[in-house]
Amino acid sequence: SGDPADPAPAPAAGPLSVSVTPRAVVRGRRTRLRVRVAGCARPGSVARVGRRAERLGEDGRGTLVALVRWRRPVALLRVATPCGTVRVPLRVRSR
């Protein structure tokens, strides 16, 4: 670990935050969600809604196509990064 040839892990650039557009999905209809992670945008971040998951790019951005069929009023977008996990609620609307 003290070897100068070993790369040091990059420090997180501030607190972990996630933005998603749009903030609402329509039940029974595919919705393309644009996800952006700020603060800890490293390779290996994964965005997930239900069983559908997509790996985000090295810049912390990605798209996820979600199809929500359940009747609950809220769906959770979960973004797992090496720095932690963030949950973002998405409003579920009827057709």
Side-chain angles (χ1 to χ4, degrees):
S1 169
D3 186 9
D6 289 339
L16 180 62
S17 65
V18 175
S19 63
V20 60
T21 304
R23 296 295 301 242
V25 295
V26 177
R27 180 181 305 120
R29 188 172 294 168
R30 289 187 187 102
T31 305
R32 182 179 307 275
L33 301 172
R34 289 175 297 283
V35 181
R36 181 176 177 186
V37 178
C40 185
R42 294 188 193 171
S45 298
V46 176
R48 175 182 301 273
V49 174
R51 294 180 185 165
R52 182 73 179 187
E54 289 291 332
R55 188 171 303 276
L56 302 180
E58 291 186 18
D59 59 353
R61 295 180 184 194
T63 59
L64 171 71
V65 177
L67 176 61
V68 176
R69 295 183 185 199
W70 53 84
R71 297 198 177 271
R72 287 178 251 144
V74 174
L76 281 179
L77 169 78
R78 293 182 302 274
V79 179
T81 70
C83 299
T85 301
V86 176
R87 292 172 183 84
V88 179
L90 301 172
R91 192 175 73 196
V92 177
R93 297 184 310 194
S94 306
R95 284 185 169 198

